[in-house]
Amino acid sequence: MTSNGTQRNDLEDFEAYLEPDFDAINFANSLVISTNGHDNNQLDLRTPLKKLKYDLVELDKRMKWISSTNYESLTLNCAQIEQYKTILNDRINPQLVTINRPFEKIRKEILEPFDDAVKLNNALKNLHQTLELLRTASFFVFIIQQLEELQGSAAATGGGDADVVRASRLYLQLMNLYESATSPNESAKSDHSTNIMSIKLIRDYRATAITKRQSLIHQCSMLINSETNRSTSLNVKNLKLCHNLQALHILDPNEFYQVLDKSTIQRQVSTSGNQLAKALQSPRNFTAIMTEVQQSSSNYFDKLDEVLTRWNLPHDSSNKSDESLLSVSLNHYKADSLSSIFWQKLAQQLKRNIVATMARGGPIAKNLKVYSQGLKNSIEDNFANDTIKQGILDALSMIDYK
């Protein structure tokens, strides 16, 4: 057979047909254009057809010449192909079948069952995630439904005192669910926590829930502030105050302690402090006014202690079932009693007033110096609690401070 160079010379006139990206339509188009030109008004197809026929005849001649010239090589190659084919069929293929048989067994008995198990496991994972998503969504929907029904009932009937506690519990549960759904730690553990926020109802209701929760906190705070302003309202039958205190503690414990302090202790300190500030201008009346403050504060805080002791927190995982509002409040304030906090703050305010009065000087400051020892003696006689007594005496000591 001739060399590759000779073959390429034999076919060099047909290189256009041998291009890897040969396209018959584009070649025909270029052939028509080259034989007609761009300025001809008539289309000549005969000339390009003649060229194609000539190439076809010429190619056929050359193929015949190549085959006749290289007859022996072609015959030898065909014989070798048949020989290799026989070897392949008689010797190699049977061995390949033998070799592949164990692999086929492995594929059928191990790989295919494993693939099926993986697919089944993935399906079960998806099913589990779907069930978790539906389960979590059902919690959200149930709580939202309860809140909406409760709100509708309250709007229609005015709502009962116990409804505010129930609503506060529902808002607490709902906020915990939202916090769990958006927590990075929970998201890393499972996919349903992030997917749950893809549900439009649940995602959109979050802002509504936050707004309504804040509104309920404000409502409870205002009622507590109003009811604790009158000592007559401090009785165990005042369930409105009881339920709003419980609800506020459930909704926001920190807000509960701030409101309780502001509406009871701070208010009494402000009222009593104003009385004592006036008493400083007339030291003769200081003892009488202090006695009046002592009696009124004792009466107020005795009633407050009684109701807070009788009223318990609603039981949940964070507190004991019999834990009273008073005990949790004292634990938070780290005090023995609410009245001790009152007297501590009152003594501090009295001290500031005395310092300011003495700094201004004048007749009032002189009178205080004159009555200083008498005031201290009256405090010694009228107060049995050493801590309270010492706090007031410390304030009165500012009269003689130089």
Side-chain angles (χ1 to χ4, degrees), residues 178-398:
Y178 275 119
E179 182 179 358
S180 176
T182 55
S183 171
N185 293 333
E186 289 296 325
S187 300
K189 293 178 182 177
S190 60
D191 294 332
H192 77 273
S193 58
T194 52
N195 291 338
I196 194 67
M197 298 304 292
S198 65
I199 300 177
K200 188 176 188 302
L201 170 65
I202 296 174
R203 183 178 66 252
D204 293 349
Y205 195 81
R206 185 181 187 184
T208 302
I210 292 174
T211 301
K212 290 184 176 181
R213 175 180 173 274
Q214 287 300 123
S215 177
L216 185 58
I217 290 175
H218 178 71
Q219 173 188 327
C220 293
S221 300
M222 294 299 293
L223 188 138
I224 293 170
N225 186 63
S226 174
E227 291 294 318
T228 54
N229 189 32
R230 304 180 302 275
S231 60
T232 55
S233 299
L234 298 177
N235 61 82
V236 293
K237 295 182 179 180
N238 189 353
L239 296 181
K240 180 186 294 185
L241 176 59
C242 172
H243 290 145
N244 277 270
L245 285 168
Q246 292 174 335
L248 185 58
H249 190 277
I250 293 171
L251 289 167
D252 190 340
N254 290 330
E255 182 70 13
F256 167 83
Y257 297 123
Q258 291 178 10
V259 170
L260 182 64
D261 177 59
K262 183 178 179 181
S263 62
T264 58
I265 300 173
Q266 293 286 6
R267 178 182 287 158
Q268 291 299 313
V269 168
S270 177
T271 302
S272 300
N274 291 335
Q275 290 179 274
L276 293 179
K278 293 179 181 179
L280 293 177
Q281 299 177 13
S282 179
R284 293 180 181 180
N285 299 325
F286 184 86
T287 301
I289 294 175
M290 177 61 78
T291 302
E292 181 182 346
V293 167
Q294 189 177 11
Q295 291 175 349
S296 62
S297 64
S298 176
N299 179 57
Y300 181 86
F301 284 104
D302 284 347
K303 290 184 177 181
L304 183 61
D305 286 349
E306 180 184 1
V307 295
L308 293 181
T309 302
R310 297 279 295 275
W311 292 338
N312 294 337
L313 280 176
H315 178 57
D316 59 26
S317 59
S318 63
N319 62 274
K320 301 176 182 178
S321 58
D322 58 348
E323 195 168 15
S324 68
L325 290 172
L326 180 63
S327 64
V328 296
S329 300
L330 294 179
N331 288 336
H332 175 78
Y333 297 135
K334 294 181 175 59
D336 296 331
S337 65
L338 296 178
S339 62
S340 65
I341 303 174
F342 161 78
W343 283 108
Q344 179 185 6
K345 292 185 176 182
L346 182 62
Q348 292 172 353
Q349 183 169 331
L350 177 62
K351 186 175 184 178
R352 290 193 296 268
N353 290 338
I354 291 175
V355 170
T357 300
M358 300 307 295
R360 287 193 299 268
I364 296 177
K366 291 181 180 180
N367 282 338
L368 285 176
K369 284 184 175 293
V370 172
Y371 287 94
S372 174
Q373 189 58 45
L375 297 178
K376 293 177 182 178
N377 292 337
S378 68
I379 298 300
E380 290 279 2
D381 295 337
N382 293 329
F383 284 88
N385 187 295
D386 292 336
T387 303
I388 297 175
K389 182 194 301 183
Q390 189 58 44
I392 299 175
L393 290 175
D394 181 62
L396 293 176
S397 67
M398 292 295 101

Side-chain angles (χ1 to χ4, degrees), residues 26-134:
N26 290 335
F27 180 78
N29 184 51
S30 62
L31 187 61
V32 170
I33 292 174
S34 64
T35 54
N36 282 271
H38 295 281
D39 300 328
N40 291 343
N41 295 328
Q42 294 182 350
L43 181 62
D44 178 18
L45 297 178
R46 184 174 299 174
T47 302
L49 285 174
K50 284 182 179 181
K51 184 178 186 320
L52 288 175
K53 288 181 179 180
Y54 173 79
D55 289 345
L56 182 60
V57 172
E58 184 64 23
L59 183 60
D60 186 56
K61 289 180 180 180
R62 295 189 186 186
M63 291 296 293
K64 288 181 180 180
W65 181 83
I66 291 173
S67 60
S68 61
T69 305
N70 300 281
Y71 174 77
E72 293 181 359
S73 298
L74 291 173
T75 303
L76 180 61
N77 285 337
C78 290
Q80 288 179 344
I81 290 173
E82 287 297 324
Q83 181 182 358
Y84 294 149
K85 186 176 180 181
T86 301
I87 294 173
L88 180 65
N89 292 331
D90 296 343
R91 297 173 59 184
I92 297 178
N93 284 345
Q95 294 183 13
L96 287 176
V97 171
T98 303
I99 293 172
N100 289 333
R101 190 176 293 117
F103 290 102
E104 183 67 17
K105 184 177 181 181
I106 293 173
R107 184 181 66 82
K108 289 183 178 180
E109 296 182 2
I110 298 177
L111 296 181
E112 288 183 356
F114 177 78
D115 291 339
D116 293 340
V118 170
K119 292 178 182 178
L120 180 60
N121 185 57
N122 291 334
L124 290 175
K125 283 183 178 179
N126 293 334
L127 178 61
H128 175 72
Q129 290 177 359
T130 303
L131 290 175
E132 282 292 316
L133 179 63
L134 292 175

